[in-house]
Amino acid sequence: MNKKEVAHIRKQFKLDHDLMNIYDILNVYIMKETNEIYHWERLPFGLVDREKQELYMGNFKKLLTGELDHKLFELKFQEEAEEPARVMLHQGLVTGDPEEWQDLMMMLVDKMLVDAKYEKDMVVTFVRGQYYRPTKARNEEAEESGKDEMFAHPFILCSVNSTEQQRKNLMFDYVEREFKYNIIVDPIIKLSSPEQGFFYPSVTDNYSDVNRILYCTGKSNYPDPQFIEQVLNAERSVTALEERSFFEEIVKELAGEQLDTTTLAQVYEEIQQVIEGGEGEEEPPKLDYKDVERVLAASGVENVTAEKVERAFETVIDDKYYEMKASSVIPKYTTKSIKIETKVATISVSPQDLRYVKQVNYQGKRCLMIEVDEEVVIEGFTLSTETL
């Protein structure tokens, strides 16, 4: 599943969209004290108040917002699992009986309650529906538009949301003309910030892939292993943060703990060129040990050979054939994504401008030197330039 396919699905979640139909919605309220289901209800989505529909649509769109391998993870199902979620989901996908779908989703909720301890009351929301994708691009000159021929994609979406108590407030009653204490105790369901969830089935080359599922987490780079393995019975995926850690350790194995900013900036530039060269491709560009050898050699790291890089892969990852996504191993290239933290200041710089920052020794003291093109102004005062 690539970011274009995710974006296409996310855009369908709005009211009155002619390429999206949602049939049923199931809400399940879980109490934190007892870790049990307190209440549940299923309704045809069309019978839900329009104001509520808008809130749900915003929640579903928020759930599917984020970068792949950061907040969205395409997962394979485990081959062997007792009462596998894959069977329940597939059966729920193909059944036309709302009650059977409801029973299958409630079985998934039961799996969520096993060995789980929630800090807040939780609401689990399921919807089943169908979205459509044109089989060809719209041709404005043709008599028939591309929308006349479409693939239908049935789906199940799940969103897990926490609740919070309303704040105590002092209110003014216009009718009685008096100040009143707010005594509302009903919890608020945080639909604007889903904790986690999933979209099934995933998509491969614009076709539904029932062997994979898109897991979504609200906290970047922190998927819930218990939910993935015990509830979805899926195989855990490597996060972008973990892959960056792999890359950093491999570079340290080959170049040592210390690198100057010129070399590091060149490494980032070489990898950025790989990323830009792969734009438009279905699969994101990846780096194997041969690619890492080329990147480091082109960046000026000495004595780098394919054999050394291969050994570094085996040492760090225990797999010399492992391929890392190029976009995962470097910070965002054109934004100030690198934070340089010292006890006196925190400086933000983009990878492409890192070469203008250097650590130098001045009069026996370690200093950070930044090359600038313009005058530096602090609190309205232009700094005077000192010659070292």
Side-chain angles (χ1 to χ4, degrees), residues 35 45 70 86 109 141 154 221 267 272 276 304 350 372:
N35 204 38
F45 193 73
H70 291 263
R86 172 170 54 181
V109 174
E141 298 179 357
N221 283 299
V267 169
Q272 180 64 17
E276 292 175 353
V304 175
S350 67
V372 295

Side-chain angles (χ1 to χ4, degrees), residues 272-286:
Q272 180 64 17
Q273 289 177 4
V274 174
I275 296 171
E276 292 175 353
E279 289 182 354
E281 300 292 332
E282 290 294 332
E283 289 292 325
K286 296 183 179 181

Side-chain angles (χ1 to χ4, degrees), residues 89-332:
L89 287 168
H90 187 263
Q91 191 172 346
L93 190 72
V94 299
T95 184
D97 183 356
E99 290 191 3
E100 182 182 5
W101 172 76
Q102 165 197 299
D103 293 341
L104 290 164
M105 297 305 102
M106 293 299 289
M107 292 171 65
L108 280 177
V109 174
D110 290 338
K111 289 165 70 74
M112 295 181 195
L113 299 178
V114 177
D115 299 328
K117 183 62 178 176
Y118 297 111
E119 297 179 357
K120 300 179 180 180
D121 290 357
M122 307 296 291
V123 175
V124 185
T125 301
F126 296 94
V127 291
R128 71 183 188 102
Q130 189 165 251
Y131 69 96
Y132 300 88
R133 192 177 185 95
T135 59
K136 58 184 177 181
R138 176 185 284 271
N139 186 348
E140 298 293 345
E141 298 179 357
E143 293 183 2
E144 293 185 0
S145 71
K147 291 177 64 177
D148 293 333
E149 185 181 359
M150 291 178 288
F151 286 127
H153 297 267
F155 71 89
I156 296 172
L157 180 143
C158 169
S159 177
V160 181
N161 297 76
S162 62
T163 65
E164 63 181 0
Q165 296 298 322
Q166 298 192 46
R167 296 180 180 179
K168 298 177 181 179
N169 293 306
L170 190 64
M171 301 176 4
F172 181 73
D173 189 327
Y174 277 104
V175 177
E176 300 296 333
R177 298 191 180 189
E178 63 179 349
F179 295 95
K180 290 184 178 180
Y181 177 63
N182 181 8
I183 58 174
I184 298 175
V185 295
D186 295 332
I188 296 174
I189 302 170
K190 299 169 66 177
L191 290 178
S192 61
S193 53
E195 300 279 328
Q196 60 184 339
F198 63 79
F199 182 91
Y200 173 84
S202 182
V203 177
T204 301
D205 295 333
N206 294 331
Y207 290 92
S208 294
D209 187 348
V210 296
N211 296 312
R212 297 171 184 263
I213 188 169
L214 183 69
Y215 168 78
C216 317
T217 177
K219 192 174 182 182
S220 185
N221 283 299
Y222 286 95
D224 183 347
Q226 191 272 342
F227 191 92
I228 290 173
E229 297 171 9
Q230 303 302 320
V231 178
L232 300 180
N233 305 129
E235 299 176 2
R236 189 180 178 278
S237 178
V238 177
T239 69
L241 189 63
E242 289 171 325
E243 285 206 322
R244 185 177 300 180
S245 177
F246 292 160
F247 180 73
E248 291 171 356
E249 290 301 318
I250 288 170
V251 173
K252 288 178 183 178
E253 286 281 328
L254 297 164
E257 293 285 337
Q258 295 185 346
L259 277 181
D260 60 74
T261 54
T262 301
T263 302
L264 189 55
Q266 188 62 39
V267 169
Y268 290 155
E269 183 177 333
E270 292 289 335
I271 296 176
Q272 180 64 17
Q273 289 177 4
V274 174
I275 296 171
E276 292 175 353
E279 289 182 354
E281 300 292 332
E282 290 294 332
E283 289 292 325
K286 296 183 179 181
L287 303 173
D288 60 14
Y289 72 89
K290 294 180 181 178
D291 297 315
V292 173
E293 177 208 0
R294 182 194 61 76
V295 166
L296 295 182
S299 302
V301 178
E302 299 179 351
N303 302 319
V304 175
T305 65
E307 292 75 15
K308 289 182 179 180
V309 180
E310 187 177 329
R311 284 197 299 271
F313 266 68
E314 290 179 333
T315 300
V316 175
I317 312 176
D318 198 25
D319 181 3
K320 66 180 181 181
Y321 298 112
Y322 186 85
E323 295 181 327
M324 298 173 283
K325 288 185 179 179
S327 59
S328 296
V329 302
I330 65 171
K332 294 294 182 184

